[in-house]
Every structure is written in structure tokens, then in C-alpha cells.
Amino acid sequence: MTLPGAHSERASSDTVPEIGSQRWDTTPSMSERYAVSEEVTAVEVDGEIVAYNPATTELHLLDRVATAVWSYLDGHDTLGEVCAQLADSFGADPDIVRADVTVLIGDLLAKGLVGPTPPGD
Amino acid sequence: MSPGANVIPNAGFADECDAAHWAADDRAQPELSGRTYAALGHTFSLECSDAQLACHLRRLLAGLEVPCQADHVYTIDKAEGSDGPFEMYRDGHIVDSFGSANKVVDHLVSAVNLEAIASTEKTHLVLHAAACTNGQVTVVLPAPSGSGKTTTVAGLVLAGMGYLTDEAVAVDPSTMQVIAYPKPLSVKPGSQGLLSGLAPTDPAFERGDWHVAPGDLRVDPVGVPGRPSLLVRPQFVDGATSLLTPVSRGRMTYLVANNTFRFRYDHRRLLPLAAKLCESAACFELTVGDLASATQLVLEAVRDTERGALAQ
């Protein structure tokens, strides 16, 4: 299983202005819970997520594998638990899944599309 | 049929606008009297004291002419017997002064376009896009400025498609149908070599962008729009081989959203609409090398869509 990840192109400045940005620590932790950022608008079209982050004014297109991971990011399970579920669903090597998901979540964190869920939420 | 084969350069211009007619300059020219125009939700009338310019504007704006209550009036005034300057007013308030008729036309077309977009962008999905139709298949070409929207749609209309717009596609969110906005085509200098048959015959209008009346492309040029079933993102690449490449609906949603007016302010409403526009359409990216081959590629996709071969 490989996770090609999120593809993004910066929206042109004449259509989407800078209105500030919010960035997280981009090193994911397997014991952390992650969820899609509240301010992000996203739609799924034929198995691909298109997401807009108003904080960075960037549109992103996630491929099918990244979209599958995205669907698990509800802030309920730890990233380690998400990886175990993904490995089970895809019948993939858990170590490879953990490595790929780490890269993907780091990318999504850097883009401000997901964030850690505070303990107790 | 190669694009350009059925160009009607300024068809009817001489008959409608002969010099004898222009000579009767009694300030507000009868060419525009009683005519009203609708550019999406922007309705207006025109008054012009210069006979030649009035005739030119009548031809350019013919596609927008509809009986309606004009909410605004543009007035263009030129001192009698002078070469300029032209003064333009909107609802009685001066907008600016222009040194040539060509610059007045530039400004008027641009001002009307901005007002047209502003009139609909808060209630509709309004894309930076061109569009055309054959009555069965409505084609939308979303792309940023300079990508070849006008060139591609001109090629398609020259080949027989019905013109809808070259700049702003408004989609009614309740029906997802396109609203026709058959403005004059604005052919930028970089595209004029591909559309040389549309060059203005009057030297007064040959500098800068060419503003081309839809009626100069073919007789009865404006089509009846429907819900888009073919979405094509054009990209002009000088010297390239024209190529039509299928893309996913997710990718097209991304491209549509990136070319949606007011997206940054209203993304929660507009992103689902962009997705809805793409959900039942065939989606492609088009490399426009030469216009004739690019046009043929899109026409083949239109035929395939019409046959249901691309319906998913």
C-alpha cells in the first residue's frame, strides 16, 4: 500500500486572498488523535476529496488512498489505531501503512487540513 | 470543417451602418434608441452621440439585447466634429474620459462584464469560463485568463456550436443550468494569430483586444443552454500537439472551484455546487496547440457525450 497523498495547487491570488494561517506541529504521533480542521470545507467526488482551507486560501485534491485515510480522521481513534484499521482493511503490512500514514498526516498537518484533537474531546 | 471557414467578417455591417446613416449626428444616436440589454442580472441601456461608435456597439451587444427594464444607462459623449475625447457616464455620473473609440469599447465591455458577474455571484455558481452548446450537450471551459477560453469557444462556434459566453458562466443552483451571457468575444493579442479571420475591418478597433460580435462568427450564433454535461479545462501551449485527456471528477471539481468567482468568501456554499456541477459530467483537460485540431477533439467529445458514450 502506498499513499500518494494530497495534491494541491495554490489558488490564484486574484481569487483567494491571504487571510492568515494556522499551522500545527507537522510531526504526527501514533498516540495522538487527529480530525479534519473545523474551518476546512471539503467535498468527496467519486472517491476523491477536494478541500479548501480558508486559513491558507489553498485548495487541495486528495487522491483515493488519501481520501480513504481522511475518512478515518474523526478525532475518535488514535493514529496508531487508525493505521491498524487501515492495514486490516487493505490487507497491507502494518509497518508500511504506519510509515505511509505518517508521511500523509504530516503533509495534511502542514497544510492545516487536519489537527490534533485535544484530550477529552 | 476547419475553424475560420465559415467566418462572416462583420456581416451586415455595411448595410446597417453606412456612412450616410452616420452623418445624421443628432447627439443620442437612433441606432441604440429603445434598445435594452441584459448581461446576466445587469440590465442597461446605451446612449451614444457618435454615430459610428453607436453602430459598432449595437452590433457588439446584439447578443445581449432583450426587452427589459433597464436599471442603468451608459452614456458615451463625444464633442461634435472632434476626434475625441470620449466621455463615458453611468447613470449620469462621469466614469472617465477616453482618447479613442477603441478604449471606450474596452472599458464598456469590461464594466458590463464586472457588473454582470456582481449581479449573480452571490446567488449562483459563477465560473471564470467560456461555454457553448449544440442544443443537446452544453460544454463549459473553466480556466484562468490567458488559457485559451475565448479561442477555444470561438473555434467551436465557428464549427457550428451555439455561443453562450467567453468569460463568465453563471449556473443556476436550483437547476444547475447555464444562463446564456453572449457578450462580445474578447480576443487578446496573444490569440489573434489563431483567429485572424475575426480581425476588425475598421482600423479604429484593431489595436489591443479585439471585441468580436457573436454574429461575426456565424449566423444565429447564440445557443440555448442546458445543464453542462461536458467540462473541458483548456490550456494553450504554443507549438504543442493538441491533446484531450480525461480527468477525474474530483480533479475537475478542484479546477472548477479554483475558477469560481467569490469562492474565498463563500466556499461553504460554492464547493458543494462545484462538485454537483461535475458529478454527472464528462471531464477533460485540453492542450490547445493549433485551434483546428483542438476544436475537432472537443467536437468528438461532444458527439461521444451526445451518444451517451461518456455518461457515467
Side-chain angles (χ1 to χ4, degrees):
Chain A
M1 173 182 176
T2 57
L3 299 170
H7 166 74
S8 69
E9 293 176 26
R10 181 166 184 78
S12 59
S13 59
D14 59 339
T15 56
V16 186
E18 289 285 357
I19 54 173
S21 64
Q22 183 177 22
R23 300 287 182 171
W24 307 100
D25 178 350
T26 58
T27 306
S29 163
M30 286 294 150
S31 60
E32 193 74 76
R33 293 173 171 82
Y34 295 94
V36 176
S37 301
E38 284 186 8
E39 68 269 26
V40 168
T41 301
V43 292
E44 184 173 341
V45 185
D46 284 1
E48 295 180 310
I49 289 283
V50 181
Y52 176 70
N53 182 358
T56 60
T57 71
E58 289 174 335
L59 272 162
H60 305 273
L61 174 64
L62 278 62
D63 64 25
R64 288 172 183 270
V65 178
T67 296
V69 177
W70 177 279
S71 69
Y72 282 87
L73 301 177
D74 58 6
H76 183 264
D77 297 325
T78 66
L79 192 56
E81 291 167 337
V82 167
C83 287
Q85 292 170 48
L86 283 165
D88 190 45
S89 293
F90 285 85
D93 183 322
D95 289 338
I96 293 175
V97 170
R98 287 165 71 95
D100 288 347
V101 168
T102 297
V103 172
L104 173 64
I105 298 300
D107 191 25
L108 296 178
L109 284 165
K111 292 180 163 86
L113 295 176
V114 303
T117 304
D121 270 21
Chain B
M1 179 189 307
S2 62
N6 54 354
V7 174
I8 305 170
N10 292 327
F13 189 88
D15 290 340
E16 295 176 18
C17 303
D18 58 86
H21 188 74
W22 298 346
D25 185 351
D26 58 353
R27 310 305 293 164
Q29 290 296 306
E31 284 291 344
L32 299 169
S33 177
R35 300 181 191 279
T36 53
Y37 302 90
L40 298 176
H42 177 55
T43 58
F44 61 96
S45 61
L46 277 169
E47 295 173 354
C48 180
S49 67
D50 183 73
Q52 184 175 2
L53 181 56
C55 195
H56 185 64
L57 290 172
R58 177 188 162 190
R59 285 187 45 73
L60 282 184
L61 299 174
L64 303 177
E65 186 178 340
V66 291
C68 63
Q69 175 67 47
D71 292 333
H72 302 280
V73 57
Y74 294 94
T75 307
I76 298 168
D77 195 20
K78 188 183 81 166
E80 192 169 356
S82 75
D83 290 332
F86 294 83
E87 290 182 337
M88 189 169 120
Y89 299 81
R90 181 182 181 276
D91 298 335
H93 302 287
I94 189 158
V95 174
D96 211 337
S97 181
F98 302 91
S100 69
N102 201 25
K103 289 181 177 174
V104 178
V105 173
D106 269 344
H107 192 88
L108 179 67
V109 170
S110 174
V112 166
N113 188 55
L114 290 173
E115 296 262 18
I117 293 165
S119 71
T120 45
E121 65 181 355
K122 291 182 181 176
T123 54
H124 293 63
L125 175 69
V126 185
L127 311 180
H128 196 189
C132 60
T133 182
N134 68 353
Q136 300 295 318
V137 176
T138 294
V139 184
V140 171
L141 308 157
S145 295
S147 300
K149 291 188 301 294
T150 297
T151 305
T152 306
V153 82
L156 290 166
V157 175
L158 288 166
M161 297 285 284
Y163 178 63
L164 296 176
T165 187
D166 77 333
E167 177 69 15
V169 171
V171 178
D172 183 331
S174 64
T175 63
M176 298 309 287
Q177 297 217 341
V178 170
I179 299 170
Y181 170 38
K183 63 181 280 293
L185 290 87
S186 298
V187 182
K188 294 181 173 60
S191 300
Q192 291 169 358
L194 293 173
L195 295 168
S196 56
L198 301 176
T201 54
D202 185 337
F205 299 108
E206 69 184 6
R207 298 185 66 176
D209 288 3
W210 295 344
H211 300 289
V212 177
D216 288 349
L217 298 176
R218 66 180 181 86
V219 175
D220 194 18
V222 179
V224 178
R227 178 171 180 155
S229 50
L230 182 57
L231 304 177
V232 179
R233 199 284 198 191
Q235 178 63 61
F236 175 71
V237 180
D238 193 17
T241 300
S242 295
L243 189 65
L244 190 68
T245 308
V247 296
S248 70
R249 289 175 176 142
R251 168 78 179 158
M252 186 54 72
T253 299
Y254 168 87
L255 294 170
V256 165
N258 223 358
N259 288 283
T260 296
F261 291 104
R262 204 181 155 73
F263 187 81
R264 66 190 180 207
Y265 302 111
D266 208 2
H267 51 93
R268 291 197 187 280
R269 179 178 73 89
L270 294 169
L271 186 55
L273 285 176
K276 190 174 180 181
L277 184 73
C278 301
E279 70 184 9
S280 58
C283 303
F284 295 88
E285 290 185 89
L286 173 68
T287 299
V288 181
D290 70 284
L291 183 56
S293 60
T295 300
Q296 285 306 314
L297 288 170
V298 178
L299 289 175
E300 286 170 19
V302 168
R303 287 190 284 272
D304 288 345
T305 302
E306 199 165 2
R307 289 198 306 265
L310 297 178
Q312 296 173 34

